[in-house]
Amino acid sequence: MKDFLWLFIVIATVMVFPICFFIRENPFDTTSFLSLEENKMVAWQRAWTQINPGRTNHLETFKNMQKKLELLKNINAQILIGAPPSKKKLLTIGISSVQHSSGSYLLDTLQSLFIASSSSERKHFIVLVHLADPDPKWLGQMISNISTLFKPYIQARQLVVINTPLKNYLLLKDLKKNFHDTPAYVAFHFKQNMDYAFLMNFATNLSDYFLMIEDDVTCAPGFVTQIATAVSAWRNKPWLTLNFSQLGFTGKLFRTRHLPCLVHFLFLFYQKTPCDYLLTHFHDLLMEPAPIQFFPSLFQHMGNYSFFDSKFNSLKDKEIEENDPGSPSNPAASIYTSLKVANDSVLMNAYSLDKNFFYTKSAEAGSHLTVVLDVPAKVFQVQVLTGSHLKGKNQLEEGQVELGYDATNRVNDCDDYILLGLLENGTLNKQVLSDESGKKVKCVRLLVTATPPSGIIVRHINLWIK
């Protein structure tokens, strides 16, 4: 019995001593001050270091991690303009901006955001601008300009402008130099990582989704509806990032519940590499699927000059659609409807490319007109025109257009529809986003969402296909 006890003590000592030594030599293994998410971050980074031992060494990062995360918890960003919405929105559109020697496109970007969205779309998002430059003269001028030019959106709680005091920033010294980059270039990009982290940290509870764009872009008309459509289609599928542009950090969509992890990640490794590369590493560490890229792109860069070094820069997104898509294709199809067809009207006129039209004397909410393609096709743009071309009467004021992708065991309908967009003044003209799978459209359905006071004229349902 005594021999057994001695054997047990020896074994216990052998097992416990290395653990105690490991904790003493590695204090960041303790969990007393780290949250669950922070401990996950440590585990992810250790795994990455073990898998790629020659790729990076983050020992110093671990030693400074606690102080950085405590810093983040105590940050209070200042609201300069506006007020957060009283209710949680669908989408927060985040922009971080600083002054540049070559000029600023921020005001143009904001104008494009609001012009490219309808009044109904603007009810579902908030624009959050982080003025991240400490220069008081520049801040004062931007506050004045934004307050004057975008007053209606500020009053509607659709635009909020914030600033993070410089004292909250980590010291930008002894930064790692990458390749042949100048110290100023390194400082610019690594401060930008913190700018983005502060922006996302503030946005965490404002909406269900967060869209990051840069401060020098134009937006495709109806981009909000197209993003909402993509989100609906991918609601039950695994994704960490949906990409609506291939340029930098522009057009990157996240679920807001993922933002705290990403914010911590940016703070931990802000000195390692610019933010778009950090996002790639973030995907790797979480072992998440690669970002889902949608085409065509919804955002395009403005101007021809690099904001950092004032050099000529023709960086453009090659995947963005041109404004003129050419003539519609309207491939062979059949049309079905639950609308009451007038005696002198021909249903197929709604889909013809000539000047004829389809007319129904009355319609009820829930009724539809559905185009079913003979052969499913990659549709990249849809146009629906209702109402008299001359007098503007008989428009369908409250209706929507949906795309159907699955027609299993159905001849005149589809099983799976997603919303493309709402009619505005009786019309819709939208680009169709598609991911890498390039699913083909089988059905295009015009749905009446509220009973109109009079009859409806459907002049055109036009499709553009690849």
Side-chain angles (χ1 to χ4, degrees):
M1 182 66 179
K2 291 183 179 180
D3 292 339
F4 175 79
L5 288 176
W6 276 110
L7 180 61
F8 177 81
I9 292 172
V10 170
I11 293 175
T13 302
V14 170
M15 294 180 64
V16 172
F17 180 78
I19 295 175
C20 295
F21 179 82
F22 184 78
I23 292 175
R24 182 173 61 83
E25 292 299 316
N26 300 274
F28 280 84
D29 285 333
T30 60
T31 59
S32 58
F33 57 83
L34 294 181
S35 68
L36 177 60
E37 293 300 328
E38 291 161 0
N39 275 293
K40 286 182 179 179
M41 190 65 70
V42 176
W44 293 332
Q45 192 56 52
R46 280 190 176 139
W48 188 22
T49 305
Q50 290 170 1
I51 294 172
N52 303 278
R55 188 172 176 180
T56 184
N57 181 3
H58 295 303
L59 180 59
E60 291 303 316
T61 302
F62 290 139
K63 290 182 179 180
N64 293 315
M65 184 179 65
Q66 181 184 14
K67 125 179 124 174
K68 294 180 182 180
L69 295 180
E70 286 298 326
L71 171 68
L72 181 61
K73 292 175 183 177
N74 296 324
I75 289 172
N76 292 311
Q78 301 173 345
I79 296 180
L80 303 178
I81 303 174
S86 55
K87 294 183 180 179
K88 202 171 187 179
K89 299 286 186 177
L90 172 70
L91 179 67
T92 297
I93 302 171
I95 307 172
S96 183
S97 184
V98 296
Q99 63 177 324
H100 305 278
S101 59
S102 56
S104 172
Y105 291 110
L106 175 60
L107 299 179
D108 297 314
T109 298
L110 290 174
Q111 186 175 36
S112 178
L113 278 171
F114 291 114
I115 289 177
S117 55
S118 65
S119 58
S120 59
E121 288 174 325
R122 289 194 288 270
K123 295 177 182 178
H124 299 288
F125 71 81
I126 177 175
V127 178
L128 179 64
V129 178
H130 182 207
L131 296 180
D133 198 295
D135 181 7
K137 182 178 180 181
W138 180 83
L139 279 174
Q141 187 62 54
M142 293 305 299
I143 291 170
S144 175
N145 291 341
I146 294 173
S147 299
T148 302
L149 295 174
F150 302 99
K151 184 177 180 179
Y153 308 111
I154 295 168
Q155 293 176 337
R157 293 194 170 190
Q158 294 169 352
L159 174 61
V160 174
V161 179
I162 64 172
N163 169 258
T164 305
L166 189 61
K167 65 181 181 180
N168 288 305
Y169 281 77
L170 304 174
L171 293 177
L172 290 171
K173 66 179 182 179
D174 300 326
L175 298 177
K176 180 181 177 181
K177 185 176 180 180
N178 293 325
F179 302 105
H180 301 291
D181 297 335
T182 64
Y185 181 88
V186 172
F188 173 83
H189 282 284
F190 294 165
K191 178 181 177 296
Q192 187 179 61
N193 289 338
M194 287 186 282
D195 294 340
Y196 288 0
F198 288 132
L199 173 67
M200 294 178 185
N201 188 57
F202 189 92
T204 300
N205 297 315
L206 299 180
S207 60
D208 295 321
Y209 299 93
F210 176 84
L211 175 73
M212 187 74 199
I213 66 172
E214 296 174 24
D215 62 354
D216 61 341
V217 300
T218 57
C219 311
F223 72 95
V224 175
T225 297
Q226 299 201 60
I227 289 174
T229 300
V231 166
S232 176
W234 281 78
R235 180 179 291 113
N236 299 320
K237 300 177 182 178
W239 60 271
L240 184 65
T241 309
L242 299 183
N243 286 3
F244 297 95
S245 172
Q246 296 190 94
L247 298 174
F249 222 67
T250 286
K252 305 302 183 281
L253 184 79
F254 308 91
R255 292 182 171 99
T256 52
R257 68 173 184 263
H258 292 153
L259 289 185
C261 282
L262 180 55
V263 168
H264 287 178
F265 186 79
L266 289 175
F267 259 89
L268 288 174
F269 308 114
Y270 76 98
Q271 293 194 40
K272 299 303 174 183
T273 187
C275 52
D276 46 344
Y277 294 107
L278 280 179
L279 183 58
T280 300
H281 295 319
F282 188 62
H283 273 266
D284 292 341
L285 290 176
L286 290 177
M287 294 181 290
E288 290 287 345
I292 309 301
Q293 181 70 53
F294 286 87
F295 304 101
S297 296
L298 298 181
F299 306 96
Q300 182 64 284
H301 270 303
M302 298 180 187
N304 293 316
Y305 287 88
S306 167
F307 272 169
F308 177 74
D309 53 16
S310 299
K311 295 179 180 179
F312 182 80
N313 181 5
S314 59
L315 179 63
K316 297 291 181 181
D317 194 328
K318 297 179 181 179
E319 294 297 337
I320 198 165
E321 287 287 343
E322 298 296 331
N323 292 331
D324 182 10
S327 300
S329 309
N330 284 22
S334 300
I335 299 184
Y336 303 90
T337 187
S338 59
L339 298 167
K340 296 179 181 179
V341 182
N343 294 333
D344 56 347
S345 185
V346 178
L347 182 58
M348 185 56 73
N349 285 344
Y351 188 63
S352 65
L353 295 175
D354 54 31
K355 295 183 179 181
N356 293 321
F357 58 85
F358 166 72
Y359 175 69
T360 177
K361 293 183 178 179
S362 62
E364 296 180 357
S367 54
H368 71 92
L369 189 154
T370 303
V371 176
V372 181
L373 302 183
D374 291 355
V375 179
K378 292 183 179 180
V379 178
F380 71 86
Q381 187 156 330
V382 176
Q383 180 187 60
V384 174
L385 304 175
T386 71
S388 169
H389 179 66
L390 298 177
K391 299 180 180 180
K393 297 181 178 180
N394 300 110
Q395 292 181 344
L396 177 57
E397 296 293 343
E398 297 188 56
Q400 64 189 44
V401 178
E402 302 169 336
L403 301 181
Y405 292 94
D406 185 10
T408 305
N409 299 323
R410 294 196 182 194
V411 176
N412 60 352
D413 201 0
C414 288
D415 297 325
D416 182 26
Y417 282 94
I418 63 171
L419 176 67
L420 175 62
L422 305 179
L423 296 184
E424 290 285 335
N425 298 320
T427 67
L428 175 140
N429 194 0
K430 295 278 187 184
Q431 293 179 335
V432 179
L433 290 179
S434 61
D435 55 47
E436 295 94 330
S437 63
K439 292 193 300 182
K440 296 183 178 180
V441 172
K442 176 68 175 178
C443 304
V444 179
R445 179 166 68 184
L446 173 61
L447 185 67
V448 179
T449 55
T451 302
S454 60
I456 301 171
I457 291 176
V458 182
R459 298 205 321 269
H460 294 293
I461 298 178
N462 290 330
L463 309 182
W464 283 260
I465 66 171
K466 293 183 180 180

